[in-house]
Amino acid sequence: MEMRRTLMSLAGLLLCAAAALAAVSAAAETPALKSVAPKGLRIGAAVNRTQVSGNDAKAVAIVSRQFDTVTAENDLKWERVHPEPDRFDFEPADRYVEFGTKHGMFVVGHVLLWHQQTPAWVFAGENGRPLDRATALARLKGHIDAVVGRYRGRIGGWDVVNEALDEDGSLRKTPWLEAIGEDYVAKAFEFARAADPETELYYNDYNLWKPAKRDAAVRLVQGLKAKGLRVDGIGEQAHWGIDDPPLEAIDAALAAIRASGATPLITELDMDVLPRDPDQWGADLAKKARIRAATNVYPDGLPPAIQERLARRYADCFALFLKHGVGRVTFWGVTDATTWLHDFPIPGRVNYPLLWDHAGHEKPALEAVAEVLRKNAKR
Ligand code: XIL
């Protein structure tokens, strides 16, 4: 009797083990995104310090298996690497570049010139005076020389200028424009080229699905090329929603960028699943609190119906990326646990914009993207 029971529980154990093995090998058979992407399309994610250091082991496992390119979410921004005029802090950026190199990835540098996450000293003139052109150019050149020069041969492509355009296509009124004048964009590309002639150079912005802004980006880049400057791609950040922008607008934007001769890149992809309030971008604190209360609608998990909509949205967008020969798709984050969208544009909500959930498990959207890549990949 005792013997029989032991044998039965042994058999049970063996069955469990077999089932577990089957599950593991099924999981291992799910192809990595990088392995189903067509030639010429890199797929990656933005990584943070916790991932680079290895402390977020789940995310590292995903990144190393799935992706062939990485972007630093914050650690190459001016405020991080060059916090004071005579002080650089390259430690985290060095670790990031080592991480990408160790995993054999195409390492992206983000970002050289932006009006945000740039320390106040950069925009301050001497003795309380407004910043003058010569000083601004000298600071820009000093920064680009140091940062691009340090990673020469190791960073494969740089976002040189970020968000230079307003929604109507005019140049955004930033301290860079004010101090240097309209050629500041060209100067940044010129300095970057000189600091590393081999690295790719990109113009990066958001809302390029809006015709006025997209046409302005195309004109800007064509103007740079006409001056003999190197520009390898136009990056659309793609911080999108689950329903907007409309697919037709994305389609038209990618077509227009392609037609201009530039390679379209999707550089910061995520899909905000929460309801959007037209005032969410510019609201004051009181209004943001009201919007938070009204739109933080999935605090305990994403309902299956929305999960499916997210999967379809990702699949539809990837079909367009393939159609227009996008050169790189980089997700802005790895799992939902660490997405910046919990706090942007409204702080303190729970969001679900990526392909892996808060626990690091695959979402239906991952399978949907892999499926589109598998089906449509021209090899
Ligand atoms: C975001 C990061 O994800 C956040 O961690 C940080 O607090 C703010 O910046 N456009 C860009 C990115 O080009 O650098 C921004 O990244 C998101 C918007």
Side-chain angles (χ1 to χ4, degrees):
M1 195 62 192
E2 196 51 42
M3 178 76 163
R4 220 174 124 207
R5 215 178 288 139
T6 314
L7 276 176
M8 275 173 68
S9 56
L10 244 179
L13 263 179
L14 279 173
L15 271 176
C16 283
L21 267 178
V24 166
S25 67
E29 275 160 22
T30 314
L33 293 178
K34 67 181 175 193
S35 70
V36 285
K39 257 209 175 70
L41 172 61
R42 294 189 173 107
I43 304 200
V47 290
N48 62 33
R49 232 176 253 197
T50 321
Q51 291 151 357
V52 164
S53 67
N55 288 335
D56 184 349
K58 270 186 202 163
V60 174
I62 292 170
V63 171
S64 58
R65 177 167 134 72
Q66 298 283 341
F67 301 128
D68 54 14
T69 172
V70 271
T71 300
E73 185 174 2
N74 286 298
D75 279 331
L76 277 164
K77 290 173 182 172
W78 197 313
E79 68 178 9
R80 295 283 176 101
V81 289
H82 195 176
E84 290 170 39
D86 299 318
R87 185 166 71 83
F88 287 88
D89 178 7
F90 284 123
E91 174 69 21
D94 286 355
R95 298 287 91 81
Y96 158 70
V97 175
E98 279 161 18
F99 174 89
T101 310
K102 184 176 93 188
H103 292 291
M105 293 167 160
F106 180 82
V107 181
V108 177
H110 173 79
V111 51
L112 297 173
L113 182 153
W114 195 15
H115 58 284
Q116 291 195 44
Q117 293 184 273
T118 302
W121 67 262
V122 178
F123 301 135
E126 311 285 346
N127 305 320
R129 286 196 300 271
L131 179 62
D132 63 86
R133 175 175 163 95
T135 308
L137 282 174
R139 285 179 186 162
L140 183 61
K141 182 168 183 335
H143 178 75
I144 291 179
D145 277 351
V147 182
V148 176
R150 183 176 184 90
Y151 301 112
R152 189 176 166 142
R154 288 187 289 160
I155 285 191
W158 275 100
D159 290 333
V160 179
V161 173
N162 200 23
E163 303 182 355
L165 294 167
D166 259 328
E167 302 306 277
D168 66 358
S170 62
L171 279 177
R172 187 192 282 272
K173 312 293 172 283
T174 68
W176 291 116
L177 178 65
E178 210 162 297
I180 298 174
E182 293 195 354
D183 65 341
Y184 84 86
V185 178
K187 286 291 178 193
F189 277 85
E190 182 189 315
F191 298 153
R193 178 79 195 270
D196 183 353
E198 303 299 325
T199 196
E200 294 187 353
L201 306 176
Y202 317 121
Y203 175 71
N204 199 50
D205 213 325
Y206 63 90
N207 284 353
L208 295 185
W209 55 271
K210 292 186 176 176
K213 203 167 177 182
R214 158 199 97 199
D215 291 344
V218 163
R219 276 197 307 274
L220 183 71
V221 166
Q222 281 176 333
L224 296 172
K225 286 186 179 169
K227 285 188 175 176
L229 293 164
R230 174 177 185 162
V231 187
D232 294 278
I234 298 182
E236 154 72 346
Q237 293 181 4
H239 297 294
W240 292 339
I242 197 166
D243 293 316
D244 70 289
L247 293 172
E248 299 70 37
I250 298 172
D251 196 11
L254 294 175
I257 293 171
R258 250 284 161 236
S260 79
T263 302
L265 307 170
I266 299 293
T267 54
E268 307 182 14
L269 180 61
D270 47 25
M271 305 282 182
D272 186 341
V273 302
L274 300 180
R276 294 199 156 191
D277 185 300
D279 287 338
Q280 66 184 24
W281 310 107
D284 60 29
L285 283 182
K287 199 171 223 173
K288 283 200 173 186
R290 280 202 298 282
I291 297 176
R292 178 190 311 115
T295 60
N296 189 23
V297 287
Y298 313 124
D300 305 317
L302 194 59
I306 311 296
Q307 200 64 271
E308 283 311 315
R309 264 175 63 200
L310 180 68
R312 272 206 309 281
R313 170 77 168 159
Y314 264 115
D316 292 344
C317 289
F318 265 81
L320 294 176
F321 301 160
L322 290 172
K323 174 178 170 189
H324 295 292
V326 162
R328 167 165 60 90
V329 177
T330 299
F331 294 91
W332 205 243
V334 183
T335 77
D336 286 341
T338 50
T339 170
W340 74 306
L341 290 179
H342 297 316
D343 292 306
F344 182 88
I346 305 291
R349 301 183 302 176
V350 186
N351 220 324
Y352 306 83
L354 297 166
L355 304 187
W356 285 266
D357 69 14
H358 286 78
H361 298 138
E362 298 180 357
K363 291 163 70 176
L366 172 65
E367 183 48 38
V369 168
E371 188 61 20
V372 171
L373 292 174
R374 261 199 304 261
K375 275 200 188 136
N376 295 355
K378 289 189 220 84
R379 279 157 193 289

